[in-house]
Structures are given as structure tokens and as C-alpha cells.
Amino acid sequence: MTSQPTTRTVRVFRYDPAKGGDGHFDTYTLDIPAPETTTILDVLLRLQREQDPSISFRFACRVNMCGSCGMVINGREALACKTNVAHLPPAQDITIRPLNHFPVIKDLVVDMEPFFAKYEDALPFFEPAKAHDEPYVIKPDDKARVDIGMATDCIACGCCVSSCTMVNHHAGYAGPAALNRAFTLLADERDGLFEARLTRALDSCYACRTEFNCTEVCPKQISGTRAIKYIQRLALKHLKSLKPLPAHPAEDKAKDPAKAGVKAAAAGASSTGCSCGGHHAAPAAPTPTAASPDATACPPSDPGTVCASRRSFLTAAVGAGTVAVLGGILGTAALAPTMGRTPAQWVPVAPLKDIPVGDISTLPLGYTRRQAFHSEQVQTSVLVRHDAPGQVLCFGNSCPHLGCAVSWDPLSSRFKCACHGGAFDRDGNVIAGPPPKGLNRLPWKIEDGILKVEVV
């Protein structure tokens, strides 16, 4: 029933460290007869097998849970294994390049070391404040558990950092992923490192400009912006109890490059300073300017971009009363609206006459999801079982186990997903694998001959 062309032009960023340079794009032509069920990772694997075995890219699980295939697809950060070709405009070329702000190792493979070094700065491990009897029961409706929500599902793919425009302007900025991890622990009342963790997060959380880019691209639909706003509120509330940290090596570099080298070495040998050991100021691996502009420098000529501590500004300029007022404003205007329920909406799928009767079809679904003052474009798929004219069942294509994409397999007459062999019958009931429940059935209706489903 699809009218999309089956032949697509694919442009892949190429960079060979042996040759150096800024890199370039190679163009390939590929026939893709089933764009609804063909992922960008499938496209790359076919290009590697059929046309160019030298293309380098990283992947592992293929079910949206390891995060290793994060890249920029048609200008937007995404997982290659989660992005279907049908999610991209059929009239456009498919352009694939490596994540921004990361040193490029080869082609689409980036060096994740700077990402995980900043992740470590946020003290991403749980340190209990006191011993508890195990298992420790946390009720689903516990307020702290509700606040944390799905933020613990982060797979550290780096898409949020790549999309963040502020990462490139503040060398010491931890970025959305590290701050999201800090948020999940700061919101946990059992955490024994609250002040230390909040002190580290404070140097970063005010670098955020609330652009929601990280929220837009997160493949797990986690709002890094929401996490950062939560930390900002905590920082204002606990400002007096926070103790200053030694200057970050990047700050010293901006003021005195010679002094920065000494400080960076000292920081690496001391546990009282930044645990990164000066990695933020370290020279990066070969980094083509087309894909990853230099994120290590802090322009000294522009006072607005020098990594000055937000703590010093706050302690000098903000009194306790102002802090309370700002905390209330931030909590109400920035955080509270994002924690409200996302309203459901009816979204058109396709004309019912175009959906084959007696078959199960995988159809692309695109819509705008709005929550408070934020909106995002959602590209997904819906599984439609059309038994007889007017008799329809609609299922979401997300596996209730790990969220990987589910597709209909006509040979075995079952829905299948790749996560540990999960399978569902024609009614969406679990018949194999670990999924804890059946496929999510979507409410549907027919209006003017158009099939519509209700989504959140």
C-alpha cells in the first residue's frame, strides 16, 4: 500500500584517521522495498555487505537498549537501530554522520571517553546514607519515585550531549546525561552523597539554556531538561550548605594556560578536586571540524563564555530572600508544568481502504506531542490488523519488555521482537520470551474513511 519510492540515496560521513583531513560524505544508492520495517542500522549493514566493506560504525544489541549506534540521521540525533527508513521524508536523501561534540575515530565511530569522564564527575554510583534491610521496598506511587520517573532508563548513548548547543561553549559543563544521572540520585532520599553530588552538579546546571534539544532526541524519551531544572531548584534550596569546589582545570586554562597544566596534573593525583583529572582540557583525538567542533576550548576573549563558576555569582549576588523567590518561580514555571500528564490525541494513520483486508500491516505514524510549553515530533509505527471491512485492531509497536520495535512475521503468524525472543499472537498476547504483558492496544476510530488512533 505504500507509495514511497523504494530506491533511496544514502550519504554517509567518511573519515580515515590515516589520511586525516576534515572528512567527507560518500553517496550510495540502495533499493529499500520495505521502509516501514527497515532500520538505518539495516541500511548501514547492507551498504557494508553489498557496496563498501570499509564503512565503520558501532552497534551491539539492535534492540534500542545498548545505545552504541547513536548517530546523527538527517540532522537529528537518534539510534540507528530504532530509526526506520519510513520515519524519514521519502523525498530527502538519507544523511548519516557521527555525533557532534565527540572526537571521531573513524567514519561514524566516535570516542566516548570524554562523555563517560564527565559522567563520572557526577558521582553516578549509589552510596547509601544508612544500611537498610533488603529488599528495600519502593512503592510505585512514592513521591520521589514519581519524580524520578523513567529517568533511570538512560542508556548513555550520547545523543543528548550531541544535540546540546551549550556543551560546545562551556568546557566544564557535564551535559544532560551526567546531570540526569545526578538527578536520579539527588531525588533518592537514601542517597548518602547528596551534598557532594549537588556541589558538583551546581557548576553545570546553570549552563543549561532550556532549549529542550536533549529532550527532543532522547531515544528513551527522558527529559534531560526536566532533570536539570530539578537540580537548579535543589541548588537554590540548599545553596548555603554547599561548599565550593577547587577551580575546574578548564577555568584555569581560560585564565592562565601555564597554571592550568599544573592544576590539571594535581587534580589527577588528588581526590579532593575534580575527579576527571583534567580530561576536559586534554587534547582530543583527530576531530573533523565538519562533525565535531572543538569542545575543549573556552574562549578567553568572550567573558560570557568563560567557564566562570555559577556558584560565585549566586553567592555574591543572590540573597536568601531572592533565592526563595527564584526557587518558587523556577519550580512553578519550569519544573511543575513538565511533570503534568501528557494529553492524549487522535492521530490519522492512513485511509482504511488502503489497508489490506485479512492482513496485518506496519504503518508509520508521525505526530506532535505537547507537554506544558514543550513540543516534540514523534516518529513511530503502528501495527494494524484489518480482519474485515471496518473490523480493525491497532497495536503499538513497542515491546513492553525493553521497548524495542515489534513487527509482524507472516511466516510464523506472530508478532516478533528481537529482545530475547519475545513473541505475541495475533491478539497481542505473549506466547514466548520475557515480555511481562501483551502488546499495547491503541483505541481507534474511523473518520471520513481515515483510520485514527489515540496516542499520548
Side-chain angles (χ1 to χ4, degrees):
M1 61 156 290
T2 178
S3 60
Q4 296 182 1
T6 60
T7 301
R8 301 294 295 264
T9 299
V10 185
R11 302 175 67 242
V12 181
F13 181 81
R14 306 302 305 274
Y15 170 73
D16 186 343
K19 298 178 180 177
D22 293 336
H24 63 279
F25 284 90
D26 281 346
T27 302
Y28 308 88
T29 302
L30 193 67
D31 184 53
I32 307 174
E36 295 86 359
T37 56
T38 301
T39 67
I40 295 301
L41 180 58
D42 295 329
V43 169
L44 288 171
L45 289 169
R46 282 190 56 195
L47 289 177
Q48 191 182 59
R49 284 197 302 264
E50 301 171 9
Q51 301 188 35
D52 190 345
S54 68
I55 298 177
S56 297
F57 52 95
R58 184 185 283 137
F59 75 98
C61 72
R62 305 185 68 170
V63 292
N64 323 324
M65 61 179 289
C66 76
S68 60
C69 64
M71 53 190 70
V72 180
I73 303 167
N74 279 24
R76 181 187 175 97
E77 288 77 5
L79 297 183
C81 69
K82 190 176 183 180
T83 306
N84 284 1
V85 173
H87 295 162
L88 307 176
Q92 291 183 4
D93 294 346
I94 299 174
T95 303
I96 309 170
R97 59 182 175 85
L99 295 175
N100 299 309
H101 313 317
F102 289 83
V104 178
I105 297 175
K106 187 176 186 299
D107 297 340
L108 303 174
V109 180
V110 298
D111 182 4
M112 298 292 289
E113 191 278 336
F115 173 87
F116 286 112
K118 290 187 176 181
Y119 206 78
E120 291 178 9
D121 281 352
L123 304 177
F125 49 87
F126 175 65
E127 185 73 25
K130 60 181 180 180
H132 293 281
D133 294 334
E134 297 293 344
Y136 188 85
V137 177
I138 302 176
K139 296 181 178 178
D141 59 351
D142 182 270
K143 182 181 183 307
R145 184 69 186 86
V146 172
D147 284 351
I148 295 172
M150 304 300 289
T152 55
D153 286 353
C154 174
I155 55 177
C157 62
C159 288
C160 59
V161 173
S162 174
S163 71
C164 179
T165 60
M166 301 313 297
V167 168
N168 199 39
H169 294 282
H170 296 280
Y173 180 36
L179 291 175
N180 176 74
R181 179 55 182 163
F183 153 68
T184 62
L185 295 166
L186 289 170
D188 191 335
E189 62 182 12
R190 303 167 302 161
D191 178 30
L193 296 177
F194 180 85
E195 288 190 4
R197 202 185 318 279
L198 184 57
T199 298
R200 291 172 181 271
L202 180 56
D203 271 350
S204 285
C205 66
Y206 287 100
C208 174
R209 292 297 179 267
T210 323
E211 295 174 344
F212 282 99
N213 292 339
C214 56
T215 303
E216 292 272 4
V217 304
C218 178
K220 291 297 182 180
Q221 300 180 341
I222 299 169
S223 176
T225 309
R226 174 179 175 270
I228 294 170
K229 294 304 168 188
Y230 190 101
I231 295 175
Q232 289 178 356
R233 189 177 68 170
L234 283 179
L236 290 169
K237 185 178 179 180
H238 297 274
L239 185 60
K240 282 190 174 181
S241 62
L242 300 179
K243 299 177 178 59
L245 281 175
H248 194 280
E251 297 178 18
D252 280 343
K253 180 182 178 181
K255 299 173 182 175
D256 186 346
K259 184 181 177 182
V262 176
K263 284 278 187 178
S270 170
S271 59
T272 59
C274 176
S275 63
C276 68
H279 62 270
H280 301 309
T287 308
T289 55
S292 179
D294 181 12
T296 62
C298 202
S301 60
D302 184 357
T305 58
V306 171
C307 304
S309 168
R310 268 63 181 169
R311 180 187 300 104
S312 59
F313 166 76
L314 286 170
T315 52
V318 182
T322 306
V323 166
V325 172
L326 288 177
I329 294 174
L330 283 173
T332 303
L335 177 64
T338 64
M339 300 181 71
R341 296 180 65 87
T342 303
Q345 59 180 313
W346 289 99
V347 177
V349 179
L352 187 62
K353 63 181 179 57
D354 292 344
I355 303 176
V357 176
D359 200 358
I360 296 180
S361 305
T362 301
L363 302 175
L365 190 69
Y367 61 97
T368 301
R369 175 162 50 201
R370 294 184 176 84
Q371 183 180 29
F373 47 82
H374 170 61
S375 63
E376 62 176 334
Q377 295 298 319
V378 177
Q379 297 294 335
T380 183
S381 298
V382 61
L383 306 167
V384 180
R385 175 179 146 188
H386 196 179
D387 295 333
Q391 295 184 12
V392 172
L393 281 179
C394 297
F395 303 95
N397 79 326
S398 180
C399 174
H401 180 216
L402 294 173
C404 61
V406 175
S407 60
W408 172 250
D409 180 17
L411 295 178
S412 60
S413 296
R414 58 176 57 181
F415 295 102
K416 299 176 69 174
C417 65
C419 62
H420 308 96
F424 309 83
D425 63 17
R426 287 176 57 87
D427 294 324
N429 301 313
V430 179
I431 55 176
K437 60 181 182 179
L439 291 176
N440 180 34
R441 289 195 180 191
L442 302 177
W444 61 273
K445 64 181 181 181
I446 306 294
E447 279 189 356
D448 299 328
I450 305 295
L451 173 65
K452 295 183 176 181
V453 295
E454 187 180 41
V455 295
V456 175

